[in-house]
Amino acid sequence: MALLDVVDARIGDGLESLLCAHHSRRLRKLGWGSVFAGEDGWWSPRSPVRDGNRVDVLVDGHELLPAVAEAISSARESVHLAGWCMSPDFQLTREPGAPTLRELLAATAERVPVRVLLWAGPPVPMFEPTRKRVRAAREEFMRDSAVSCVIDARERTMHCHHEKIVVVDGSVAFVGGMDLTAVEGDRHDTPEHPPRHPLGWHDIGTRLRGPVVADVAEHFRARWQEIAGEELPPAPVPGPAGTSSAQLVRTIPERTYDFVPRGEFSLLDSYLRALRSATRLVYLENQFLWSPEVTEILIEKLRTPPDPRFRVVLVLPRKPSNGADTTRGQLGRMIDADDGGRRLIAATLSSHDGQTSSSVYVHAKLAIVDDRWLSVGSANLNEHSLFNDTEVNVVTDDADLARRTRLRLWSEHLRRPVEELDRAPEDVVDGLWRDLVESEGDHRVTSLPGVSRRAGRLQGPLRGLLVDG
């Protein structure tokens, strides 16, 4: 190993230790130290687990966006939306004459209350959405309409309100990674991901019915009341709508809202519990992967596999909007930990039609562990999402749903029928996944570029200390 690589690794290890120690001290002071205690169990003990839910996993814009549009257009009592960015001119469907988001909400507001909660944008215009853009969006949403739109500027320094939720009538909710905007990328795409300029877009959300909807509605209510100053009635708990147990988990930094002054870190708790429990398969789709709290668990399991069948499959973007080097550094450590064991796959998505090709941007935030635990939401696997942004994920231990979702996604990515993939996961990983990633050709899944056993180690923890906090 070159001397520069050794120095990079040693300093990176030291900075990462400082970062993890800082997070541990911070959460202990806030009463959340148990997150790092290595406790057993799927569920975070700080959030209610609701039985009797229906959880539909909606994949890619062609399925998710029309479902949101249909729910809003059929509202009979109320519509509540909160997000990182929402654009008034965004169309949720590509049907001829389809209304814009502003037109859809304005029409709905003629019969029911419509409330929209926007992040204010960064204090200085360093990245999107700028505060100028957000103010213009608010004015447009409210122009000649009864829509109530409020801007939330209570973000932690250098962080944001990143969650993406929609609640309709208190009976159906959407939680996931999809922003209702074309800022930084066109969200409309299909599982076929035809090549397009500048890139395709892969994303995932959930449609929820049943008691867990009350937790999504109550989260919106709490934020709205503090920011808008409007009292809303407590969210009623809907009756059973399915057979899935589900839990809403959140990241809310301390000293952001009066309703949770010491913050909430049940989302981190949920992830760490699930990953620690993994024995056979960890499947992650995410925009980023540089949280040492997450990667240390994966590294240890790759070094000492809990089962000979244990595999890790990661699907990440070829060029994330930022932090590519930090993710590559952590992947380099995982490759070292795997040490030729061939238990790890790090892939990205591409699209080809025989003549042209383009990248498919992975914006999904999904995790499946052992086909028994499923998490979908807005949280990336970085320190922003796990400690400092506001985030919302939904978690379920519905094993049938977790397995069906994995098979559906693998069918999309590997371009194989589900029936061909319906066998032991390690066989599919060792055969199809690895063969496609390691071979040349116009495959949907390809190797993640720039990853080696000597990928830069320093930038991730340094970024965490300077920015993520």
Side-chain angles (χ1 to χ4, degrees), residues 8-18 296 333 457-458 461:
D8 179 271
R10 295 285 176 83
I11 297 177
D13 287 344
L15 288 174
E16 186 170 284
S17 296
L18 288 175
E296 287 298 330
R333 299 184 65 223
R457 175 73 182 88
L458 176 59

Side-chain angles (χ1 to χ4, degrees), residues 29-42:
K29 291 178 181 178
L30 297 170
W32 282 88
S34 61
V35 167
F36 303 114
E39 296 178 352
D40 295 332
W42 289 111

Side-chain angles (χ1 to χ4, degrees), residues 46-76:
R46 304 292 190 93
S47 301
V49 178
R50 307 284 193 175
D51 297 325
N53 303 284
R54 175 173 174 175
V55 180
D56 298 313
V57 178
L58 306 177
V59 181
D60 296 318
H62 89 291
E63 185 173 60
L64 176 57
L65 294 172
V68 173
E70 180 182 3
I72 292 174
S73 63
S74 63
R76 298 181 178 181

Side-chain angles (χ1 to χ4, degrees), residues 19-312:
L19 178 63
C20 291
H22 163 68
H23 287 150
S24 180
R25 287 192 301 270
R26 175 182 163 194
L27 265 60
R28 281 203 310 271
K29 291 178 181 178
L30 297 170
W32 282 88
S34 61
V35 167
F36 303 114
E39 296 178 352
D40 295 332
W42 289 111
W43 307 107
S44 172
R46 304 292 190 93
S47 301
V49 178
R50 307 284 193 175
D51 297 325
N53 303 284
R54 175 173 174 175
V55 180
D56 298 313
V57 178
L58 306 177
V59 181
D60 296 318
H62 89 291
E63 185 173 60
L64 176 57
L65 294 172
V68 173
E70 180 182 3
I72 292 174
S73 63
S74 63
R76 298 181 178 181
E77 298 177 12
S78 63
V79 174
H80 295 159
L81 304 93
W84 167 79
C85 181
M86 285 181 263
S87 299
D89 61 352
F90 183 71
Q91 291 179 294
L92 278 76
T93 73
R94 291 289 171 85
E95 297 295 327
T100 64
L101 180 58
R102 180 206 170 276
E103 291 167 342
L104 176 62
L105 295 181
T108 304
E110 293 178 0
R111 64 180 189 275
V112 302
V114 175
R115 299 176 177 91
V116 180
L117 189 57
L118 300 175
W119 175 45
V124 293
M126 298 174 58
F127 49 87
E128 293 285 359
T130 63
R131 294 204 164 183
K132 180 180 179 181
R133 181 191 292 274
V134 175
R135 289 193 298 268
R138 178 178 183 270
E139 292 174 4
E140 183 66 8
F141 278 127
M142 298 180 68
R143 178 177 59 82
D144 299 328
S145 82
V147 172
S148 296
C149 185
V150 173
I151 292 174
D152 188 348
R154 289 196 189 182
E155 76 278 352
R156 207 163 189 244
T157 303
M158 297 296 292
H159 298 95
C160 69
H161 298 296
H162 193 244
E163 63 202 52
K164 305 96 166 51
I165 60 175
V166 178
V167 185
V168 177
D169 297 342
S171 61
V172 59
F174 296 84
V175 171
M178 182 75 75
D179 299 290
L180 304 182
T181 182
V183 171
E184 296 192 339
D186 181 3
R187 272 68 173 172
H188 287 273
D189 209 342
T190 70
E192 289 73 31
H193 298 294
R196 58 180 185 161
H197 180 79
L199 74 174
W201 195 275
H202 175 62
D203 221 326
I204 298 176
T206 60
R207 178 175 53 208
L208 309 173
R209 294 186 177 94
V212 75
V213 173
D215 299 317
V216 188
E218 188 61 26
H219 174 73
F220 179 91
R221 170 179 175 266
R223 284 189 64 199
W224 183 266
Q225 290 187 156
E226 283 204 30
I227 302 304
E230 177 191 6
E231 291 290 325
L232 301 179
V237 178
T243 59
S244 299
S245 298
Q247 182 180 51
L248 196 76
V249 292
R250 307 183 292 182
T251 301
I252 304 178
E254 69 274 21
R255 297 188 295 276
T256 302
Y257 297 112
D258 292 341
F259 68 84
V260 57
R262 298 172 70 84
E264 179 175 328
F265 304 91
S266 57
L267 203 157
L268 172 67
D269 190 20
S270 173
Y271 253 110
L272 298 188
R273 286 171 177 268
L275 294 176
R276 284 192 298 254
S277 73
T279 60
R280 188 171 177 183
L281 175 69
V282 172
Y283 178 62
L284 303 176
E285 295 187 3
N286 213 277
Q287 187 180 8
F288 304 112
L289 179 59
W290 73 64
S291 168
E293 284 80 9
V294 169
T295 57
E296 287 298 330
I297 295 175
L298 298 178
I299 286 168
E300 181 57 33
K301 286 186 177 289
L302 288 168
R303 284 179 180 148
T304 311
D307 186 289
R309 301 169 296 178
F310 180 72
R311 301 292 186 271
V312 176

